[in-house]
């Protein structure tokens, strides 16, 4: 299985309302994409100094599942409406995980 | 519970051997820190374009568990011996997750 991680730094003009609308849109999107096994997205809790502004983590079965998610019309729509104009910097990684090992 | 994510871009002189040694050291470290519920660290699979070089994901009970991990002598030792000299850029996020919801 694949753990997909993304961290974002926002442009200076991004508001709390923008972030709340993004999180709502991503949460709704995730429910409608069956290839997504687990999903979480939200503003950084900033429990430590020097972090990014926002994070997403998703569990997929495989690379095809990741493509199905990231290329899904609902994901592209969230990017178009919210994410695209918010991002100053994005950092993403895919890691292999064993089923049930990461929880 | 807390999902802690970190993505790294390496300096140009970092070798595959450096990365393998780091992954071995982090894996050994994670086993010895009881506050870490789940842990994975490794080179980006690069299933999509434009990703970072390396990622870490950890599940902790709470902010105190995150501090216990990141301030643990074994973590500081891995930073000192491996990670510190490898990092060009680091992007980290903490997200709240419900127990059992992310797997």
């Amino acid at each position: 299985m694949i753990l997909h991680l993304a961290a974002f730094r926002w442009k200076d003009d991004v508001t709390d309302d923008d972030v709340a609308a993004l999180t709502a849109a991503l949460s709704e999107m995730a429910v409608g994409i069956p290839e997504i096994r687990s999903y979480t997205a939200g503003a950084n809790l900033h429990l430590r100094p020097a972090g990014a502004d926002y994070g997403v983590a998703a569990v997929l079965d495989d690379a095809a599942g990741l493509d199905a998610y990231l290329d899904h019309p609902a994901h592209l729509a969230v990017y178009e409406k919210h994410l695209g104009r918010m991002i100053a910097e994005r950092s993403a990684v895919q890691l292999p995980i064993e089923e049930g090992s990461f929880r």
Side-chain angles (χ1 to χ4, degrees), chain A:
Chain A
M1 296 176 70
I2 304 295
L3 177 62
H4 170 76
L5 312 175
F8 301 90
R9 193 169 59 75
W10 298 141
K11 290 179 181 165
D12 289 341
D13 64 348
V14 169
T15 68
D16 289 350
D17 285 351
D18 291 332
V19 174
L22 170 66
T23 300
L26 287 173
S27 302
E28 190 183 331
M29 172 209 77
V31 172
I33 301 180
E35 286 83 359
I36 295 176
R37 290 277 204 115
S38 288
Y39 196 81
T40 187
N44 189 1
L45 294 174
H46 284 297
L47 301 181
R48 302 282 292 197
D53 293 315
Y54 196 89
V56 172
V59 177
L60 299 310
D61 280 338
D62 50 27
L66 181 69
D67 288 343
Y69 153 40
L70 293 173
D71 298 332
H72 195 286
H75 181 254
L76 300 178
V78 174
Y79 191 92
E80 181 78 18
K81 187 172 179 188
H82 301 276
L83 201 49
R85 62 178 178 76
M86 297 168 70
I87 298 174
E89 210 169 345
R90 175 183 180 272
S91 190
V93 174
Q94 295 90 40
L95 300 176
I97 55 171
E98 303 231 355
E99 180 151 16
S101 72
F102 198 82
R103 54 198 292 181

